[in-house]
């Protein structure tokens, strides 16, 4: 089974200081089939419910739940309701750590 590798970290327009935030939704016709990211992903369910599959683990999530995917974890999201909406934060850990130790402090 092939997995789509979503590399938004390679799009300089998509990342700001190692962080990328967006909102998205899935439905029965358009689930998030198995894929990976080279970034840590924090997913917050804003409405609906879904089945999350990550590597060999499955869990049901609903509005108000948050899921953390490690970098390079094969994962997928299948809606349990007609539609599931969520917010996503991608984090480039090495980039954020190097920024945290800069001498000039905050930006």
């Amino acid at each position: 089974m092939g997995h789509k590798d979503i590399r938004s970290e390679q799009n300089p327009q998509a990342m700001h200081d190692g962080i990328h935030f967006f909102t998205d939704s899935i439905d029965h016709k358009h689930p998030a089939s198995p894929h990976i990211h080279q970034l840590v992903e924090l997913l917050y369910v804003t409405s609906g419910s879904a089945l999350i599959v990550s590597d060999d683990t499955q869990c049901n999530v609903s509005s108000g739940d948050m899921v953390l995917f490690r970098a390079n974890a094969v994962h997928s999201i299948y809606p349990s309701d007609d539609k599931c909406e969520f917010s996503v934060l991608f984090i480039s850990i090495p980039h954020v750590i190097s920024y945290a130790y800069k001498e000039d402090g905050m930006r």
Side-chain angles (χ1 to χ4, degrees):
M1 152 172 50
H3 304 292
K4 184 176 181 184
D5 186 356
I6 300 173
R7 297 177 185 263
S8 61
E9 69 271 22
Q10 291 182 350
N11 178 354
Q13 302 294 320
M15 295 295 289
H16 177 72
D17 289 330
I19 296 174
H20 175 56
F21 176 82
F22 64 95
T23 59
D24 204 351
S25 65
I26 56 170
D27 58 36
H28 292 290
K29 291 183 180 179
H30 304 99
S33 45
H35 61 281
I36 63 172
H37 312 279
Q38 293 180 335
L39 301 169
V40 170
E41 177 181 352
L42 187 59
L43 181 140
Y44 178 75
V45 181
T46 55
S47 70
S49 60
L51 171 67
I52 303 275
V53 180
S54 181
D55 294 326
D56 294 327
T57 303
Q58 295 185 10
C59 69
N60 291 298
V61 295
S62 58
S63 183
D65 289 339
M66 189 176 291
V67 179
L68 178 68
F69 298 104
R70 64 176 171 72
N72 298 311
V74 176
H75 59 284
S76 51
I77 309 167
Y78 302 99
S80 302
D81 294 337
D82 290 333
K83 185 176 185 181
C84 181
E85 299 177 317
F86 46 88
S87 296
V88 175
L89 183 67
F90 282 133
I91 305 167
S92 169
I93 297 298
H95 188 98
V96 171
I97 289 173
S98 70
Y99 176 74
Y101 289 99
K102 285 187 175 186
E103 291 184 26
D104 62 352
M106 294 176 46
R107 285 190 186 173

